[in-house]
Amino acid sequence: MTVTRPPAEGTAEARHSTRSGVAGLLGAACNGLFGFLLVVVITRGYGTAGAGAFFAAVGVVTMTAALCTLGAETGLIWALPRRRGGSEGDLARVLPVALFPPLAVAAAVGTAGIVVADSLAPRLLDDPGADGPALLAVSFAAVPLVVAMTLLFAVLRCVRPMRAYVAVQSVLLPAARPALVGAVALAGGSVLAGVVGWLLPAACAVLVCVALVAGPLGLGRDTPVRTVRADWSAFWRFALPRAGSAAIDASVVWVGVLLTSVLAGQADAGVFGAVGRYILAGQLALHGLRVAVSPQLSRLLGRGERGAAAAVHRRLTAWALVLSWPVYLLLAVFGPAFLQLFGPEFAAGAAAMTVLALAMLVNTGVGNVQSLLLMGGRSGLHLAATLAGLLVTVALGLWLIPGHGVTGAALAWAAGIATENLLAFACARAVVGEPLVDGALRRAAAGTLAAVGVAALAGLLTAGRGIPGLVVALAVLAAGCLGASALPGVRQRVRATVSQIRGRDGASADAAPALATKGR
């Protein structure tokens, strides 16, 4: 049964989602900036072939760690906001349940990967060289570290304010990586040394997270941590289906990189990896909002407040659309300009950029429907949607990549993106039982398309698809935004949003979301 919230509580939820959303967006902006800088450092420092090997190593770490995490990171975000904190609560009791199995699996898989690195290197890298086996061995050795970091980030999201999570995950970690990789590249270090530089900040992040979560969880005091059988069954019934979808979510771009490396060559894989980084950077607004509100959605759906959850979803989908669609439309039209920043040899990815940017309009347009499914406890439906997307991506990739290279990989991934998101949207609408699209969202989509379309057309007709055309488009878009900011309706909405950010209602929930929930 859907529960109707009193007006004051609904206002508090709106303020909570707004404050958390802004923090998530700021973190996403920092993450995107440093992530882009890292790609520039890798591509400029190692060229297409070296970048392909670097991206392949990162892909091995990312995909293997995502598999070994077993969905426990999302399980923590789903479970912790529904539990009680304090000496009489059951908050800390979920930690052994969530942490021990993934870390044990990660240690076993990492060890096995080290053993088979010599035979695996020639199959993943078309020119492995002397450093190829060592590169893969280091990648597999880092899997337990990355799994631990992922799980601790999930705990941090639930027991500390968003600013703590943003500081570690979106500033400390991504800022350190380009600095260390850049220092290695400038010193003439190998790709292997660069990957080690990429991994070192994860160890620092683990230590910082442990220090931040120990207090709120009551570790070291008399807080009960002994588990019961019901904890294991409830947690892993949710987490295990999520394990497959989490691996797909985290590794979909790297599936394309590895397929391209095997079927078209390491240089094409480097180009596809660079294009993929642009595409993922445009998704950071959606990811930032997802990170911010997932614990809140878990609380609302756990209490049966589906109307409030759908309202939060619609609000943040409109934000994500207005922030992300301009990025993807500009990437689609001015792909050659963006790729010039990586070097002339990356211009071959312009068509792939256009294909993927248009596909991502679907991804951001449906909003965080994946979070609605997961925080509603329907991890099986989410797995079905992501598996369908992966099957489409791999099947089309095997068909298209040998003949079309980077563009074929992009077409395959674009089809997978559309398949996954449309299926997830249909499932979320059925599960929540509330409208996920309203008039305000449709108006935001139409206005964004019209405004960015006019700006892009002006740049295209004036100076083409290169950097001059992009500059013209950005200038026209900036002028339009300044003009719109003078409109009374726009100014009123901005003031309302600022008031919600500064408001005191819901502050305690934002400060300690997991501890604020009484009951499971």
Side-chain angles (χ1 to χ4, degrees), residues 243-317:
S245 59
I248 296 169
D249 287 343
S251 62
V252 63
V253 66
W254 304 113
V255 168
V257 170
L258 295 177
L259 280 176
T260 306
S261 179
V262 171
L263 299 175
Q266 205 163 289
D268 276 13
V271 173
F272 185 75
V275 171
R277 294 305 302 179
Y278 268 121
I279 297 303
L280 294 179
Q283 198 180 8
L284 285 172
L286 188 68
H287 175 71
L289 295 171
R290 178 185 301 134
V291 163
V293 303
S294 289
Q296 183 185 13
L297 289 176
S298 178
R299 290 198 307 275
L300 293 173
L301 293 172
R303 295 194 295 239
E305 300 172 15
R306 298 180 179 180
V312 169
H313 170 82
R314 291 191 298 267
R315 171 194 292 262
L316 297 184
T317 299

Side-chain angles (χ1 to χ4, degrees), residues 388-460:
L390 177 65
L391 290 175
V392 169
T393 298
V394 173
L396 290 180
L398 293 173
W399 177 38
L400 294 173
I401 291 174
H404 302 279
V406 178
T407 304
L411 288 168
W413 188 17
I417 289 169
T419 300
E420 176 188 344
N421 282 277
L422 293 176
L423 282 175
F425 179 85
C427 292
R429 177 64 178 86
V431 168
V432 176
E434 297 284 342
L436 302 183
V437 176
D438 58 7
L441 185 56
R442 285 190 287 266
R443 289 191 295 272
T448 303
L449 280 173
V452 181
V454 169
L457 184 61
L460 185 63

Side-chain angles (χ1 to χ4, degrees), residues 25 43 71 76 85 91 99 176 194 203 213 268 342 351 396 453 465 495:
L25 288 173
T43 53
L76 285 165
L91 188 67
L99 298 182
V213 305
D268 276 13
F342 293 150
L396 290 180
R465 299 183 68 192
R495 284 195 297 267

Side-chain angles (χ1 to χ4, degrees), residues 39 42-43 50-60 254 257-258 269-270 273-274 277 346:
V39 174
I42 293 171
T43 53
F54 199 113
F55 290 140
V58 172
V60 168
W254 304 113
V257 170
L258 295 177
R277 294 305 302 179
F346 288 88

Side-chain angles (χ1 to χ4, degrees), residues 5 67 157 162 274 309 329 493:
R5 299 180 64 85
L67 286 168
R157 283 170 62 178
M162 270 299 298
L329 290 169
R493 291 182 181 180

